[in-house]
Amino acid sequence: MAFDAAAWGNRLLGPLSGESLLEFKAQAEGAASAGCTVQWRDNNIAFRCVDCEFDHTCVVCPECFFGADHEGHDVRLIRTSGGCCDCGDPSSWKPEGFCSRHRGITVSQDSEEALASLPAPMRACCGEVLREAVELAEQQLAKLSERRCDTEEDEASACDTAAEILGGCLEWLRSTGESSFGLRYALRLALEPRLQAWIRYAGRLRRESKVVHAFFLAVVQQSPALKLAFSIELLNSYSEIGYDDDLHEDATGEDTSPATIGLTVQLFTVPEVSLALTRDHAMVQRVCGRLATCLRGYSSDGDADAEHELGAAKVQEMYNIINDLRYVLAHDAVSDFVLRDERSRLAVLDVLRALWRWHPQTRRVGDHVLFESRAWDSAFFLDEAVENAFQPLVAAAQRCEWREGGPWIEG
């Protein structure tokens, strides 16, 4: 049983005729001008512009690059490793560097005002239709994440059916949300109460993870409000994100990493998102807490015979967590807040405490060692990565005045 996109589309468009249909078509043209929807695979070509980007992770597709004015700018041609085009996203790319097709989304276009602009017949039915489609997708996510597809005898067939329905449903939801600002807002209302469940289900997916990852990336890029809501729920599930599963491949060599892998670089590099998460949702404490727990799990505690032969997955987990810290602390406002906030400062110090004596290399005396253990490799490079992630805190400390009771920063 496949997902019938035409039938679901008719439930939205069926009530429209004459002037209301023309009105919706005009809205669809306007929604397409908000932001670029191009997503990349590995080794696609993209462009950086040092003059237009807000950080080095921000890039645009060739069509958007050549459709904008970058004359005299510092431009770099790169190969991608996933992600999406940032044209039209003012949190990633300066508006003066947008192409002629994408002008960004306004606050009113990402609010209830957008819903009110829909033709009355569509406005009356869209909420129910989109909620039902979201519920259908969630049912498939639940089946696939737990591999409980009907009976054991036909589990493989049932899971294939669930994957087909999920893929069709997500594609329809994505394209529907991109068709008008009003439907995009209605989709946001349908998704927000279910984000936590979706993120947890998605973290357990394998074969279907790319489809879900692409959907998450598409919908959060098109709505700043949904991007923040999604980031909050992702942080609430941070301890469960399968960062140690980043190296998973199936028998054919296909990457089957969890759908949540790679999303943090799209979310935590946004200054407004990172500051809100740090200030209101204890982000630095949570991320540092997970990193400190990992470090203590492999601490030598001064034991001269202890080995740090970490598996590749565990090393990758810690690097991913450190990268998240790097994304967040790179924003001056976040680093300044961390210095002012006692709990955040203590979380950072806890990571440094966990690193103390973490390096396992010990001088051997009294016997000859034929082959030196390579256990120190991971410790050395992870220690360096933590140091680099915390460098913005050093710069923040240099900006602030130290007064009785702790650091004080102007503003």
Side-chain angles (χ1 to χ4, degrees):
M1 180 181 65
F3 179 83
D4 191 343
W8 283 84
N10 285 336
R11 293 182 62 184
L12 287 176
L13 294 174
L16 302 186
S17 62
E19 289 186 7
S20 62
L21 185 58
L22 292 174
E23 180 184 353
F24 178 72
K25 287 182 178 180
Q27 289 186 12
E29 292 175 3
S33 68
C36 186
T37 59
V38 168
Q39 293 189 23
W40 291 295
R41 298 183 181 275
D42 289 345
N43 293 317
N44 286 163
I45 289 176
F47 287 88
R48 284 184 58 197
C49 176
V50 176
D51 296 279
C52 294
E53 67 190 23
F54 283 140
D55 64 70
H56 71 281
T57 68
C58 303
V59 290
V60 294
C61 69
E63 188 172 357
C64 289
F65 175 80
F66 289 112
D69 181 10
H70 295 284
E71 185 176 354
H73 289 188
D74 184 357
V75 173
R76 319 281 170 85
L77 180 67
I78 68 163
R79 292 282 184 176
T80 65
S81 57
C84 59
C85 178
D86 289 307
C87 187
D89 182 359
S91 67
S92 301
W93 205 259
K94 292 179 181 177
E96 54 267 32
F98 291 168
C99 75
S100 58
R101 297 181 301 118
H102 302 124
R103 311 318 305 165
I105 185 170
T106 66
V107 174
S108 63
Q109 290 167 342
D110 195 28
S111 70
E112 195 169 358
E113 286 184 47
L115 191 63
S117 69
L118 287 174
M122 179 177 283
R123 187 167 63 248
C125 71
C126 67
E128 180 182 357
V129 174
L130 290 173
R131 279 193 301 273
E132 289 180 14
V134 167
E135 288 171 4
L136 177 63
E138 185 172 326
Q139 291 167 9
Q140 313 316 308
L141 281 170
K143 290 179 181 179
L144 292 164
S145 68
E146 300 174 14
R147 282 295 184 264
R148 53 176 177 82
C149 303
D150 299 331
T151 64
E152 185 174 340
E153 291 76 14
D154 64 352
E155 180 176 356
S157 175
C159 284
D160 287 343
T161 299
E164 185 178 3
I165 295 172
L166 176 65
C169 189
L170 292 183
E171 174 59 24
W172 182 80
L173 285 169
R174 182 196 62 76
S175 60
T176 299
E178 291 173 359
S179 66
S180 84
F181 293 116
L183 290 179
R184 186 175 301 170
Y185 180 76
L187 176 59
R188 171 188 152 194
L189 295 182
L191 276 174
E192 280 187 343
R194 300 178 178 276
L195 284 177
Q196 188 175 71
W198 277 49
I199 289 170
R200 288 177 175 169
Y201 287 142
R204 297 196 289 267
L205 294 178
R206 288 294 176 265
R207 286 185 303 166
E208 306 81 11
S209 60
K210 284 190 174 181
V211 173
V212 179
H213 176 90
F215 175 77
F216 283 160
L217 194 58
V219 296
V220 301
Q221 285 296 101
Q222 296 300 315
S223 168
L226 184 59
K227 180 182 289 187
L228 177 58
F230 186 93
S231 300
I232 292 170
E233 294 303 338
L234 187 65
L235 181 61
N236 288 338
S237 303
Y238 193 78
S239 62
E240 302 173 33
I241 295 176
Y243 269 168
D244 53 340
D245 295 330
D246 196 24
L247 304 178
H248 273 253
E249 293 181 349
D250 63 16
T252 66
E254 182 76 11
D255 179 18
T256 57
S257 301
T260 48
I261 291 290
L263 289 174
T264 56
V265 68
Q266 304 292 332
L267 304 172
F268 298 166
T269 53
V270 178
E272 298 84 358
V273 170
S274 282
L275 182 59
L277 293 178
T278 302
R279 184 186 57 219
D280 303 326
H281 301 278
M283 179 173 191
V284 170
Q285 294 99 295
R286 295 186 187 194
V287 179
C288 284
R290 179 168 178 178
L291 179 57
T293 298
C294 288
L295 290 168
R296 290 196 173 93
Y298 290 87
S299 174
S300 65
D301 295 325
D303 184 351
D305 296 320
E307 292 290 343
H308 273 240
E309 300 290 1
L310 301 181
K314 182 54 66 175
V315 171
Q316 188 64 54
E317 176 183 6
M318 286 193 268
Y319 272 124
N320 284 332
I321 298 170
I322 293 167
N323 278 336
D324 288 344
L325 278 174
R326 184 166 59 85
Y327 301 147
V328 173
L329 295 177
H331 308 298
D332 287 350
V334 173
S335 292
D336 291 348
F337 177 86
V338 169
L339 286 189
R340 290 198 301 267
D341 182 64
E342 182 179 8
R343 292 184 179 180
S344 297
R345 292 200 307 271
L346 291 176
V348 169
L349 292 174
D350 194 41
V351 170
L352 298 177
R353 189 179 299 111
L355 276 171
W356 176 249
R357 294 185 179 274
W358 196 77
H359 198 300
Q361 191 169 5
T362 305
R363 183 185 179 192
R364 297 289 293 271
V365 295
D367 60 341
H368 178 64
V369 179
L370 288 176
F371 298 100
E372 182 179 295
S373 167
R374 304 300 300 176
W376 61 271
D377 277 0
S378 298
F380 180 86
F381 290 109
L382 284 165
D383 185 88
E384 182 181 43
V386 170
E387 178 185 353
N388 290 336
F390 285 163
Q391 279 300 314
L393 294 176
V394 176
Q398 294 171 340
R399 289 194 299 270
C400 76
E401 295 181 22
W402 289 86
R403 298 182 177 182
E404 184 177 353
W408 180 86
I409 299 173
E410 186 69 38

